[in-house]
Amino acid sequence: MSRPLLQVENLRVHFPVGGGLFSRPRMLKAVDDVSFQLAPGETLGVVGESGCGKSSLGRAVLQLIPPTAGRVLWLGEDLCRLDDDAMNVKRSELQLVFQDPLASLNPRMTVGGILREPLYSFEPGIARSEAEDRAAAMMRRVGLRPEMMNRYPNEFSGGQCQRISIARAMISRPRLVICDEPVSALDVSIQAQIIALLRELQAEYEVSYIFISHDLSVVRHLCHRIMVLYLGKLMEIGPKRDIFDTPRHPYTQSLLSAVPIPDPRRARQRDQKLLEGDLPSPLNPPSGCVFRTRCPHATPLCIKSAPVLEATGSEAHQVACHYWQSLTPETHTDQPTGE
Amino acid sequence: MATGSVEKRARVAPAAEPATVLECRDLNVHFDTPDGRIAAVNGISFDLKRGRCLGIVGESGSGKSQTFLGILGLLASNGHAVGSVKLHGEEILNVPRRRLDAIRGEKLAIVFQDSITGLTPHKRIGEQLSEVLTEHRGLGRTAARAKVLEMLELVRIPEAEKRFRMYPHEFSGGMRQRVMVAQALLCQPDVLIADEPTTALDVTVQAQILKLFKGLADHTNTALVMITHDLGVVAGLCDEVMVMYAGRVVEHAAVDELFYAPRHPYTRGLLACMPRADRDSEALTAIPGQPPDLAALPAGCAFAPRCPYAFERCEAERPTLSLAAPGHARACHLEALP
Ligand SMILES: Nc1ncnc2c1ncn2[C@@H]1O[C@H](COP(=O)(O)OP(=O)(O)OP(=O)(O)O)[C@@H](O)[C@H]1O
Ligand SMILES: Nc1ncnc2c1ncn2[C@@H]1O[C@H](COP(=O)(O)OP(=O)(O)O)[C@@H](O)[C@H]1O
Ligand code: SF4
Ligand code: SF4
Ligand SMILES: [Mg+2]
Ligand SMILES: [Mg+2]
């Protein structure tokens, strides 16, 4: 792997919740001791159930919420230690695309204004005509007609708004874009268009993505590596191939088992290992291994002690489970049928 | 993989066709708006059979929900349903409200995507569910309570006794959805309509709920309608699928036929643009363009602006649904897909 663009070390995001006059607030550990690296041009998928800390992780990396502890090294420099002005300069390199395309665009600005804004703030002194030309070029690049420059966001469909968001994120030529469920709100046929656009832009600009999604099908298609979170903790991380072909963590295995497969024969043959029960409250996570209340393999050891992340042979594939070595990984890749 | 051939083993043509429970013929739903009339559902016909599951697939706005809201008499005030819908031979489309309410409680039930809207926020779960039985079935309180507990256990609500006395907001999204399913099943309806019941849920919870539906379809006589935008959901659950586009059915076939031998360009396009969790896919073939605006539909085939095979006739003349093979209908001017 080339020199990492981003190194996240022992990141924690804890939110104080509740508390009143006489009681101290409790700490909700949205992200708890998460470490990972990202190489230039790489896409890292972040998956897990609702509330497991995906968005909090993304926002903490971008310093949109202050991390409680840990380091976020951007080309070796700790972003957590930068003051607001210095961080704002860095933002041209680190951008964000949200799930809800319309809500993330200023309704009172024209599309042209939305696209020119980052240029004016990151390249003060840029000539208006140049900003306009670049905005028009970017619109064309994401598949929108530049003639629509003077329209407002509410005049666009969901898919078009997501194209505008992507254009806004890309126009400052960032090296990292964090995509937080960028296609989840879109229709199936539009999802594929946006996924294709993200892939093309990556090839063209060598941008890295952190791709947050609950959809493992999309993640498999788009990501090079995948990270699985549960109640704020890293359960497993590794190259896509390892995660889908030899998933080691019981949680990863049940997540994969739960994904619907659009293939009736496969769906009928499949022996799904479904999770029982619901997510525990993040305010009161289980002791030891946080997954133990839903884990089919839990033992008394799992109640007492929290597993640490271990390499599984390949250094890049790491898992946090006491028993990963004795569990059989089941492939989630369809066996070749000799097409 | 041998695509064209349809596997005979599974669920295809059992010895005797189960009895038809609900018969929908030429259903149309339109809305009157200040800007004119919107034809949301056009000429839909289908039969629901005992113990079978029909999937309704389509993008947002394609008319999936309005079709069934029309059938159930639940359209917005500017909406009108025309056509014929027979439940056990009795016409139920546009019958007086009182009759519909009775049918809805007993014979037809619906579960919506947003489980909050289906439950009354300030009433304990147990109370809400028991009422269904005391009102529709005339059960006493004790009997109703026992039945409700049985249902909550069936949908795998842990510690049902304790949960009986809790309020909806004290449940997780997945649990609320299961409560909704329990409520819908209380009167053992002949038809259960599920409108995107898992769209807002995590995959793990979605899988639990789909398993519940699967058990229902396999072990009871309830006819199930699964409305969804996700072909993955349909594949594992349904016997038959209708694909909707712009307020019309564009393809209707047995589930294996639809997936392995699609005969409409839109269905084929949907299948080709979905990434899959069980295999690597280098490039997805996206369907270009956007779903049409119902207020400004083209004169011919509504899919023509996005269809890779469109030819002159498509722009001039709207294709109608016709059989391309036994039990396999599609609305397209092409004889066969290239
Ligand atoms: N400002 C906040 N104050 C208190 N708790 C918060 C705050 N923001 C997030 N949380 C909590 O932190 C946890 C992680 O939230 P986060 O939004 O990161 O989850 P997520 O994985 O992105 O979920 P989803 O898939 O639903 O978007 C949740 O329990 C959430 O309720
Ligand atoms: N009250 C209404 N007035 C006008 N149009 C409506 C009304 N309700 C629904 N529609 C339109 O009917 C069409 C079909 O809607 P629906 O069946 O809800 O779609 P879906 O397939 O997403 O369930 C949509 O274009 C929608 O905008
Ligand atoms: S440590 Fe124990 S509870 Fe946690 S995943 Fe492994 S077996 Fe399950
Ligand atoms: S009728 Fe024409 S435009 Fe419509 S789906 Fe068939 S080939 Fe395509
Ligand atoms: Mg989130
Ligand atoms: Mg709907």
Side-chain angles (χ1 to χ4, degrees), chain A residues 200-273:
Chain A
E200 289 163 21
L201 292 172
Q202 179 163 58
E204 250 171 76
Y205 297 162
E206 287 173 25
V207 60
S208 299
Y209 294 135
I210 292 180
F211 190 84
I212 297 173
S213 176
H214 63 270
D215 185 339
L216 282 141
S217 310
V218 173
V219 164
R220 176 164 197 162
H221 181 69
L222 211 57
C223 301
H224 305 106
R225 277 193 307 136
I226 293 162
M227 160 158 127
V228 182
L229 295 179
Y230 187 80
L231 286 180
K233 296 250 188 212
L234 189 49
M235 298 285 110
E236 184 163 9
I237 182 167
K240 166 169 73 182
R241 182 117 314 266
D242 294 346
I243 297 291
F244 281 94
D245 289 355
T246 51
R248 294 289 182 176
H249 199 283
Y251 180 58
T252 313
Q253 294 176 354
S254 8
L255 268 186
L256 288 171
S257 188
V259 185
I261 304 287
D263 183 335
R265 277 179 216 142
R266 283 262 300 149
R268 282 193 293 264
Q269 287 158 4
R270 217 166 165 214
D271 174 25
Q272 280 181 297
K273 297 194 175 52

Coordinates of all heavy atoms in Angstrom, one line a residue, chain A residues 200-273:
Chain A
E200 N -16.5 6.7 -11.8 CA -15.8 7.5 -12.9 C -15.0 8.6 -12.3 O -13.8 8.8 -12.7 CB -16.8 8.1 -13.9 CG -17.5 7.1 -14.8 CD -18.7 7.7 -15.4 OE1 -18.8 9.0 -15.5 OE2 -19.6 6.9 -15.8
L201 N -15.6 9.3 -11.4 CA -14.9 10.4 -10.8 C -13.6 10.0 -10.0 O -12.6 10.6 -10.0 CB -15.8 11.2 -9.9 CG -16.9 12.0 -10.6 CD1 -17.9 12.6 -9.6 CD2 -16.4 13.1 -11.5
Q202 N -13.8 8.8 -9.4 CA -12.6 8.3 -8.6 C -11.5 8.0 -9.6 O -10.3 8.3 -9.3 CB -13.0 7.0 -7.9 CG -11.8 6.4 -7.1 CD -12.3 5.5 -6.0 OE1 -12.9 4.5 -6.3 NE2 -11.9 5.7 -4.8
A203 N -11.8 7.3 -10.7 CA -10.8 7.0 -11.7 C -10.1 8.3 -12.2 O -8.9 8.3 -12.4 CB -11.4 6.2 -12.8
E204 N -10.9 9.3 -12.5 CA -10.4 10.5 -13.1 C -9.6 11.3 -12.1 O -8.6 11.9 -12.4 CB -11.6 11.4 -13.5 CG -11.8 11.5 -15.0 CD -13.1 12.1 -15.2 OE1 -13.2 13.4 -15.1 OE2 -14.0 11.4 -15.6
Y205 N -10.1 11.5 -10.9 CA -9.5 12.4 -9.9 C -8.6 11.7 -8.9 O -8.0 12.4 -8.0 CB -10.5 13.3 -9.2 CG -11.4 14.1 -10.1 CD1 -12.6 14.6 -9.7 CD2 -10.9 14.5 -11.4 CE1 -13.4 15.5 -10.5 CE2 -11.7 15.3 -12.2 CZ -12.9 15.8 -11.7 OH -13.7 16.6 -12.5
E206 N -8.5 10.4 -8.9 CA -7.8 9.7 -7.9 C -8.2 10.0 -6.5 O -7.4 10.1 -5.6 CB -6.3 9.8 -8.1 CG -5.8 9.1 -9.3 CD -4.3 9.3 -9.6 OE1 -3.6 9.7 -8.7 OE2 -4.0 9.2 -10.7
V207 N -9.5 10.3 -6.3 CA -10.0 10.7 -5.0 C -10.2 9.4 -4.2 O -10.5 8.3 -4.7 CB -11.3 11.5 -5.2 CG1 -12.3 10.7 -5.9 CG2 -11.8 12.0 -3.8
S208 N -10.1 9.5 -2.8 CA -10.4 8.4 -2.0 C -11.8 8.6 -1.4 O -12.3 9.7 -1.3 CB -9.5 8.3 -0.8 OG -8.2 8.1 -1.2
Y209 N -12.5 7.5 -1.2 CA -13.9 7.6 -0.6 C -13.9 6.8 0.7 O -13.4 5.7 0.8 CB -14.9 7.0 -1.5 CG -15.2 7.7 -2.8 CD1 -15.3 6.9 -4.0 CD2 -15.4 9.1 -2.9 CE1 -15.6 7.5 -5.2 CE2 -15.6 9.7 -4.1 CZ -15.7 8.9 -5.3 OH -16.0 9.5 -6.5
I210 N -14.6 7.4 1.7 CA -15.1 6.6 2.8 C -16.6 6.5 2.5 O -17.3 7.5 2.4 CB -14.9 7.3 4.1 CG1 -13.4 7.2 4.4 CG2 -15.6 6.5 5.2 CD1 -13.0 7.9 5.8
F211 N -17.1 5.3 2.2 CA -18.4 5.1 1.7 C -19.3 4.5 2.8 O -19.2 3.3 3.1 CB -18.4 4.2 0.4 CG -19.7 4.2 -0.3 CD1 -20.0 5.2 -1.2 CD2 -20.6 3.2 -0.1 CE1 -21.2 5.1 -1.9 CE2 -21.8 3.1 -0.8 CZ -22.1 4.1 -1.7
I212 N -20.1 5.3 3.4 CA -21.0 4.8 4.5 C -22.3 4.3 3.9 O -22.9 5.0 3.2 CB -21.2 6.0 5.5 CG1 -19.9 6.5 6.1 CG2 -22.2 5.6 6.5 CD1 -20.1 7.7 6.9
S213 N -22.6 3.1 4.3 CA -23.8 2.5 3.7 C -24.3 1.4 4.5 O -23.6 0.7 5.2 CB -23.5 2.0 2.3 OG -24.7 1.4 1.7
H214 N -25.6 1.1 4.5 CA -26.1 -0.1 5.2 C -26.4 -1.1 4.1 O -26.8 -2.2 4.4 CB -27.4 0.2 6.0 CG -28.5 0.7 5.1 ND1 -28.7 2.0 4.8 CD2 -29.4 0.0 4.4 CE1 -29.7 2.1 3.9 NE2 -30.2 0.9 3.7
D215 N -26.1 -0.8 2.8 CA -26.4 -1.7 1.8 C -25.2 -2.5 1.3 O -24.3 -2.0 0.6 CB -27.0 -0.9 0.6 CG -27.5 -1.9 -0.5 OD1 -27.0 -3.0 -0.6 OD2 -28.3 -1.4 -1.3
L216 N -25.1 -3.7 1.7 CA -23.9 -4.5 1.4 C -23.7 -4.8 0.0 O -22.6 -5.1 -0.5 CB -23.9 -5.8 2.3 CG -23.5 -5.5 3.7 CD1 -24.3 -6.4 4.7 CD2 -22.0 -5.8 3.9
S217 N -24.8 -4.8 -0.8 CA -24.7 -5.0 -2.2 C -23.9 -3.9 -2.9 O -23.0 -4.1 -3.7 CB -26.0 -5.2 -2.9 OG -26.8 -6.1 -2.2
V218 N -24.3 -2.7 -2.5 CA -23.7 -1.5 -3.1 C -22.2 -1.4 -2.6 O -21.3 -1.1 -3.4 CB -24.4 -0.2 -2.7 CG1 -23.7 1.0 -3.1 CG2 -25.8 -0.2 -3.3
V219 N -22.0 -1.8 -1.4 CA -20.6 -1.7 -0.8 C -19.7 -2.7 -1.5 O -18.6 -2.4 -1.9 CB -20.7 -2.0 0.7 CG1 -19.3 -2.4 1.2 CG2 -21.2 -0.8 1.4
R220 N -20.2 -3.9 -1.8 CA -19.4 -4.8 -2.5 C -19.0 -4.3 -3.9 O -17.9 -4.5 -4.4 CB -20.2 -6.2 -2.7 CG -19.4 -7.2 -3.5 CD -19.9 -8.6 -3.4 NE -18.8 -9.5 -3.9 CZ -18.8 -10.7 -3.6 NH1 -19.7 -11.3 -2.9 NH2 -17.8 -11.5 -4.1
H221 N -20.0 -3.6 -4.5 CA -19.7 -3.1 -5.9 C -18.7 -2.0 -5.9 O -17.9 -1.9 -6.8 CB -21.0 -2.7 -6.5 CG -20.9 -2.2 -7.9 ND1 -20.6 -3.0 -8.9 CD2 -20.9 -0.9 -8.4 CE1 -20.5 -2.3 -10.0 NE2 -20.7 -1.0 -9.7
L222 N -18.7 -1.2 -4.9 CA -17.9 0.1 -4.9 C -16.6 0.1 -4.1 O -15.8 0.9 -4.4 CB -18.9 1.2 -4.4 CG -18.7 2.6 -4.9 CD1 -18.9 2.5 -6.4 CD2 -19.8 3.4 -4.3
C223 N -16.5 -0.8 -3.1 CA -15.4 -0.6 -2.1 C -14.3 -1.5 -2.3 O -14.4 -2.7 -2.8 CB -16.0 -0.7 -0.7 SG -17.3 0.5 -0.4
H224 N -13.1 -1.1 -1.9 CA -11.9 -1.9 -2.0 C -11.8 -2.7 -0.6 O -11.4 -3.8 -0.6 CB -10.6 -1.1 -2.2 CG -10.7 -0.3 -3.5 ND1 -10.9 1.0 -3.5 CD2 -10.7 -0.7 -4.8 CE1 -11.0 1.4 -4.8 NE2 -10.9 0.4 -5.6
R225 N -12.0 -1.9 0.4 CA -11.9 -2.5 1.8 C -13.2 -2.2 2.5 O -13.9 -1.2 2.2 CB -10.7 -1.9 2.5 CG -9.4 -2.7 2.2 CD -8.3 -2.3 3.2 NE -8.2 -0.9 3.3 CZ -8.0 -0.3 4.4 NH1 -8.0 -0.9 5.6 NH2 -7.9 1.1 4.5
I226 N -13.5 -3.0 3.6 CA -14.8 -2.8 4.3 C -14.5 -2.9 5.8 O -13.7 -3.7 6.2 CB -15.8 -3.9 3.8 CG1 -16.2 -3.7 2.4 CG2 -17.0 -3.9 4.7 CD1 -16.8 -4.8 1.7
M227 N -15.2 -2.0 6.5 CA -15.1 -2.0 7.9 C -16.5 -2.2 8.5 O -17.5 -1.6 8.0 CB -14.6 -0.6 8.3 CG -14.8 -0.1 9.6 SD -13.6 1.1 9.7 CE -14.2 2.4 10.2
V228 N -16.6 -3.1 9.5 CA -17.9 -3.4 10.1 C -18.0 -2.9 11.5 O -17.1 -3.3 12.3 CB -18.2 -5.0 10.1 CG1 -19.5 -5.3 10.6 CG2 -18.0 -5.5 8.7
L229 N -19.0 -2.1 11.8 CA -19.1 -1.5 13.1 C -20.3 -2.1 13.8 O -21.3 -2.4 13.2 CB -19.3 0.0 13.0 CG -18.2 0.9 12.5 CD1 -18.6 2.4 12.5 CD2 -16.9 0.7 13.3
Y230 N -20.3 -2.2 15.1 CA -21.4 -2.6 15.9 C -21.3 -1.8 17.2 O -20.3 -1.9 17.9 CB -21.4 -4.1 16.2 CG -22.6 -4.7 16.8 CD1 -23.8 -4.9 16.1 CD2 -22.6 -4.9 18.2 CE1 -24.9 -5.4 16.7 CE2 -23.8 -5.4 18.8 CZ -24.9 -5.7 18.1 OH -26.0 -6.1 18.7
L231 N -22.4 -1.1 17.6 CA -22.4 -0.3 18.8 C -21.1 0.5 19.0 O -20.6 0.6 20.1 CB -22.6 -1.2 20.0 CG -24.1 -1.7 20.2 CD1 -24.2 -2.6 21.4 CD2 -25.1 -0.6 20.3
G232 N -20.7 1.1 17.9 CA -19.5 2.0 18.0 C -18.2 1.4 18.0 O -17.1 2.0 17.9
K233 N -18.2 0.0 18.0 CA -16.9 -0.7 18.0 C -16.6 -1.4 16.6 O -17.5 -1.8 15.9 CB -17.0 -1.8 19.0 CG -17.1 -1.4 20.4 CD -15.9 -1.6 21.2 CE -16.1 -1.4 22.6 NZ -14.8 -0.9 23.3
L234 N -15.3 -1.4 16.3 CA -14.9 -2.1 15.1 C -14.9 -3.6 15.3 O -14.2 -4.1 16.2 CB -13.5 -1.6 14.8 CG -12.9 -2.0 13.4 CD1 -13.8 -1.7 12.3 CD2 -11.6 -1.2 13.2
M235 N -15.7 -4.3 14.5 CA -15.8 -5.8 14.6 C -14.8 -6.5 13.7 O -14.2 -7.5 14.0 CB -17.2 -6.2 14.3 CG -18.3 -5.7 15.2 SD -18.4 -6.5 16.8 CE -17.8 -5.2 17.8
E236 N -14.8 -5.9 12.5 CA -13.9 -6.6 11.5 C -13.6 -5.6 10.4 O -14.4 -4.7 10.1 CB -14.7 -7.8 10.9 CG -13.9 -8.6 9.9 CD -14.5 -10.0 9.6 OE1 -15.6 -10.2 10.0 OE2 -13.8 -10.8 8.9
I237 N -12.4 -5.7 9.9 CA -12.0 -4.8 8.8 C -11.1 -5.6 7.9 O -10.3 -6.4 8.3 CB -11.3 -3.5 9.3 CG1 -10.9 -2.6 8.1 CG2 -10.0 -3.8 10.1 CD1 -10.5 -1.2 8.5
G238 N -11.2 -5.4 6.5 CA -10.4 -6.1 5.6 C -10.7 -5.9 4.2 O -11.7 -5.2 3.9
P239 N -9.9 -6.4 3.3 CA -10.1 -6.2 1.9 C -11.5 -6.8 1.6 O -11.9 -7.8 2.2 CB -9.0 -7.1 1.2 CG -7.9 -7.1 2.2 CD -8.6 -7.1 3.5
K240 N -12.2 -6.3 0.6 CA -13.5 -6.8 0.2 C -13.6 -8.3 0.0 O -14.5 -8.9 0.5 CB -13.9 -6.1 -1.1 CG -15.1 -6.7 -1.8 CD -15.6 -5.8 -2.9 CE -14.7 -5.9 -4.1 NZ -15.2 -5.0 -5.2
R241 N -12.6 -8.8 -0.7 CA -12.5 -10.2 -0.9 C -12.6 -11.0 0.4 O -13.3 -12.0 0.5 CB -11.2 -10.5 -1.7 CG -10.9 -11.9 -2.1 CD -10.8 -12.1 -3.6 NE -11.8 -11.4 -4.3 CZ -13.0 -11.9 -4.8 NH1 -13.3 -12.9 -4.7 NH2 -13.9 -11.3 -5.4
D242 N -11.8 -10.6 1.4 CA -11.8 -11.4 2.6 C -13.1 -11.2 3.3 O -13.6 -12.2 3.9 CB -10.6 -10.8 3.5 CG -9.3 -11.1 3.0 OD1 -9.2 -11.9 2.0 OD2 -8.3 -10.5 3.4
I243 N -13.7 -10.0 3.3 CA -14.9 -9.9 4.1 C -16.0 -10.7 3.5 O -16.8 -11.3 4.2 CB -15.3 -8.4 4.1 CG1 -14.3 -7.5 4.8 CG2 -16.7 -8.2 4.7 CD1 -14.2 -7.8 6.3
F244 N -16.1 -10.8 2.1 CA -17.2 -11.5 1.5 C -16.9 -13.0 1.4 O -17.8 -13.8 1.4 CB -17.6 -10.9 0.1 CG -18.4 -9.7 0.2 CD1 -17.9 -8.5 0.2 CD2 -19.8 -9.8 0.4 CE1 -18.7 -7.3 0.4 CE2 -20.6 -8.7 0.5 CZ -20.0 -7.5 0.5
D245 N -15.6 -13.4 1.2 CA -15.3 -14.8 1.0 C -15.0 -15.5 2.3 O -15.3 -16.7 2.5 CB -14.1 -14.9 0.0 CG -14.5 -14.6 -1.4 OD1 -15.8 -14.3 -1.6 OD2 -13.7 -14.6 -2.3
T246 N -14.3 -14.8 3.2 CA -14.0 -15.5 4.5 C -14.3 -14.5 5.7 O -13.4 -14.1 6.4 CB -12.5 -15.9 4.6 OG1 -11.7 -14.8 4.2 CG2 -12.2 -17.0 3.7
P247 N -15.6 -14.2 5.8 CA -15.9 -13.3 6.9 C -15.7 -14.1 8.2 O -16.0 -15.2 8.4 CB -17.4 -13.1 6.7 CG -17.9 -14.2 5.9 CD -16.8 -14.7 5.1
R248 N -15.0 -13.4 9.2 CA -14.6 -14.1 10.4 C -15.4 -13.8 11.6 O -15.6 -14.6 12.5 CB -13.1 -13.7 10.7 CG -12.1 -14.2 9.7 CD -12.0 -15.7 9.8 NE -11.0 -16.2 8.8 CZ -10.6 -17.5 8.8 NH1 -11.2 -18.3 9.6 NH2 -9.7 -17.9 7.9
H249 N -16.0 -12.6 11.6 CA -16.7 -12.2 12.8 C -18.2 -12.7 12.7 O -18.8 -12.6 11.6 CB -16.7 -10.7 12.9 CG -17.1 -10.2 14.3 ND1 -18.4 -10.2 14.8 CD2 -16.3 -9.8 15.3 CE1 -18.4 -9.8 16.0 NE2 -17.1 -9.6 16.4
P250 N -18.7 -13.2 13.8 CA -20.1 -13.7 13.7 C -21.1 -12.6 13.3 O -22.1 -12.9 12.6 CB -20.4 -14.1 15.2 CG -19.1 -14.4 15.8 CD -18.1 -13.5 15.1
Y251 N -20.8 -11.4 13.6 CA -21.7 -10.3 13.2 C -21.6 -10.1 11.7 O -22.7 -9.9 11.1 CB -21.4 -9.0 14.0 CG -22.3 -7.9 13.6 CD1 -23.7 -8.0 13.7 CD2 -21.8 -6.7 13.1 CE1 -24.5 -6.9 13.4 CE2 -22.6 -5.6 12.7 CZ -24.0 -5.8 12.9 OH -24.8 -4.8 12.5
T252 N -20.4 -10.1 11.2 CA -20.3 -9.9 9.7 C -21.0 -11.0 9.0 O -21.7 -10.8 8.0 CB -18.8 -9.9 9.3 OG1 -18.1 -9.1 10.2 CG2 -18.6 -9.5 7.9
Q253 N -20.9 -12.2 9.6 CA -21.5 -13.4 9.0 C -23.0 -13.2 9.0 O -23.7 -13.5 8.0 CB -21.1 -14.7 9.7 CG -19.6 -14.9 9.5 CD -19.1 -16.2 10.3 OE1 -19.9 -16.8 11.1 NE2 -17.9 -16.5 10.1
S254 N -23.6 -12.7 10.1 CA -25.1 -12.6 10.1 C -25.5 -11.4 9.2 O -26.6 -11.5 8.6 CB -25.7 -12.5 11.5 OG -24.7 -12.3 12.4
L255 N -24.7 -10.4 9.1 CA -25.1 -9.3 8.2 C -25.2 -9.8 6.8 O -26.1 -9.5 6.1 CB -24.0 -8.2 8.3 CG -24.2 -7.0 9.2 CD1 -23.1 -6.0 9.0 CD2 -25.5 -6.3 9.1
L256 N -24.2 -10.5 6.4 CA -24.1 -11.0 5.0 C -25.3 -12.0 4.8 O -25.9 -12.0 3.7 CB -22.8 -11.7 4.7 CG -21.6 -10.8 4.6 CD1 -20.3 -11.5 4.6 CD2 -21.7 -9.9 3.4
S257 N -25.6 -12.8 5.8 CA -26.6 -13.8 5.6 C -28.0 -13.1 5.5 O -28.9 -13.7 4.9 CB -26.6 -14.7 6.8 OG -27.4 -15.7 6.7
A258 N -28.1 -11.9 6.0 CA -29.4 -11.2 5.9 C -29.7 -10.4 4.6 O -30.8 -10.1 4.4 CB -29.5 -10.2 7.1
V259 N -28.7 -10.2 3.8 CA -28.9 -9.4 2.6 C -29.7 -10.1 1.6 O -29.5 -11.3 1.3 CB -27.5 -9.1 1.9 CG1 -27.7 -8.2 0.7 CG2 -26.5 -8.5 2.9
P260 N -30.8 -9.5 1.2 CA -31.6 -10.2 0.2 C -30.9 -10.3 -1.2 O -30.1 -9.4 -1.5 CB -32.8 -9.3 0.0 CG -32.6 -8.1 0.8 CD -31.3 -8.2 1.5
I261 N -31.0 -11.5 -1.8 CA -30.3 -11.7 -3.1 C -31.4 -11.8 -4.2 O -32.3 -12.6 -4.1 CB -29.6 -13.1 -3.0 CG1 -28.6 -13.2 -1.8 CG2 -28.9 -13.4 -4.3 CD1 -27.4 -12.3 -2.0
P262 N -31.2 -10.9 -5.2 CA -32.3 -10.9 -6.3 C -32.1 -12.1 -7.2 O -31.8 -11.9 -8.4 CB -32.0 -9.6 -7.0 CG -30.6 -9.3 -6.7 CD -30.2 -9.9 -5.4
D263 N -32.3 -13.3 -6.7 CA -32.1 -14.5 -7.5 C -32.9 -15.6 -6.8 O -32.5 -16.1 -5.8 CB -30.6 -14.8 -7.5 CG -30.3 -16.1 -8.3 OD1 -31.2 -16.9 -8.6 OD2 -29.1 -16.2 -8.8
P264 N -34.1 -15.9 -7.3 CA -35.0 -16.8 -6.6 C -34.4 -18.1 -6.3 O -34.7 -18.6 -5.1 CB -36.2 -16.9 -7.6 CG -36.1 -15.8 -8.5 CD -34.7 -15.4 -8.6
R265 N -33.7 -18.7 -7.2 CA -33.2 -20.1 -6.9 C -32.2 -20.0 -5.7 O -32.3 -20.8 -4.8 CB -32.4 -20.7 -8.1 CG -33.4 -21.3 -9.0 CD -32.6 -21.9 -10.2 NE -33.4 -21.7 -11.4 CZ -32.9 -21.4 -12.6 NH1 -31.6 -21.1 -12.7 NH2 -33.7 -21.2 -13.6
R266 N -31.3 -19.0 -5.8 CA -30.3 -18.8 -4.7 C -31.1 -18.5 -3.4 O -30.7 -19.1 -2.3 CB -29.4 -17.7 -5.0 CG -28.3 -18.0 -6.0 CD -27.0 -18.3 -5.3 NE -26.5 -17.3 -4.5 CZ -25.7 -17.5 -3.4 NH1 -25.5 -18.7 -3.0 NH2 -25.3 -16.4 -2.7
A267 N -32.1 -17.7 -3.5 CA -32.8 -17.3 -2.3 C -33.5 -18.5 -1.6 O -33.5 -18.7 -0.4 CB -33.8 -16.2 -2.6
R268 N -34.0 -19.5 -2.4 CA -34.6 -20.6 -1.9 C -33.6 -21.6 -1.3 O -33.9 -22.2 -0.3 CB -35.4 -21.4 -3.0 CG -36.7 -20.7 -3.3 CD -37.6 -21.6 -4.1 NE -37.1 -21.8 -5.5 CZ -37.4 -21.1 -6.6 NH1 -38.3 -20.2 -6.5 NH2 -36.9 -21.4 -7.7
Q269 N -32.4 -21.7 -1.9 CA -31.5 -22.7 -1.4 C -30.7 -22.2 -0.1 O -30.2 -23.0 0.6 CB -30.4 -22.9 -2.5 CG -30.9 -23.7 -3.6 CD -30.0 -23.5 -4.9 OE1 -29.0 -22.7 -4.8 NE2 -30.4 -24.1 -6.0
R270 N -30.7 -20.9 0.0 CA -29.9 -20.3 1.0 C -30.3 -20.7 2.4 O -31.5 -20.7 2.8 CB -30.2 -18.8 0.9 CG -29.1 -17.9 1.1 CD -29.6 -16.6 0.6 NE -28.7 -15.7 1.1 CZ -29.0 -14.4 1.5 NH1 -30.2 -14.0 1.3 NH2 -28.1 -13.6 1.9
D271 N -29.3 -21.0 3.3 CA -29.6 -21.3 4.7 C -29.2 -20.0 5.4 O -28.1 -19.8 5.8 CB -28.8 -22.5 5.1 CG -28.9 -22.7 6.6 OD1 -30.0 -22.3 7.1 OD2 -28.0 -23.3 7.1
Q272 N -30.2 -19.1 5.7 CA -29.9 -17.9 6.3 C -29.7 -18.0 7.8 O -30.5 -18.6 8.5 CB -31.0 -16.9 6.1 CG -30.9 -16.2 4.7 CD -32.1 -15.2 4.5 OE1 -33.2 -15.6 4.5 NE2 -31.7 -14.0 4.3
K273 N -28.6 -17.5 8.3 CA -28.4 -17.5 9.8 C -28.8 -16.1 10.3 O -28.0 -15.2 10.2 CB -26.9 -17.8 10.1 CG -26.5 -19.1 9.6 CD -25.2 -19.6 10.1 CE -24.9 -21.0 9.7 NZ -25.0 -21.2 8.2

